[in-house]
Amino acid sequence: MEEANKVMVISFDKDQKIRELSSQLHHANKQLEACQEQLRTIMACMEEHTQCLSTTVESVVSNVKQVESQQHEISGHC
C-alpha cells in the first residue's frame, strides 16, 4: 500500500472513531439529562412530603398540648 493511502486509511479510521465517540457522548448526555430531570422530580416530591410531614407533626404537637392542658384543668378542679 502506498504511504498516502495508509495515511488516508488511518485518517478515515480516526474520523470514524471520533464520530462513534461523539455519538456515544451525545447518548450519554441525553441519559444524564433524563436522570437529572428524574432527580429534580424526586427532590420536589421529597420537599412536598417533608412539608406535609412537618404540618402533621405540628398538628400532633398542638393536639398533645391541648390534651395536656385539658388534663391539667381537669386535675386542677378536683
Side-chain angles (χ1 to χ4, degrees), residues 6 14 37 49 51 64:
K6 286 181 185 178
K14 286 182 181 179
E37 182 59 32
H49 187 66
Q51 290 297 326
V64 168

Side-chain angles (χ1 to χ4, degrees), residues 3-16:
E3 193 63 32
N5 285 342
K6 286 181 185 178
V7 171
M8 285 178 45
V9 168
I10 291 172
S11 178
F12 177 79
D13 289 344
K14 286 182 181 179
D15 288 346
Q16 176 93 13

Side-chain angles (χ1 to χ4, degrees), residues 10-47:
I10 291 172
S11 178
F12 177 79
D13 289 344
K14 286 182 181 179
D15 288 346
Q16 176 93 13
K17 188 65 175 179
I18 289 170
R19 281 192 294 276
E20 289 173 11
L21 291 173
S22 293
S23 177
Q24 290 174 3
L25 179 60
H26 178 72
H27 180 70
N29 283 337
K30 289 293 185 184
Q31 286 181 316
L32 176 60
E33 288 175 14
C35 288
Q36 287 173 330
E37 182 59 32
Q38 288 175 345
L39 182 57
R40 280 190 288 273
T41 300
I42 289 169
M43 295 300 290
C45 288
M46 287 177 66
E47 179 64 28

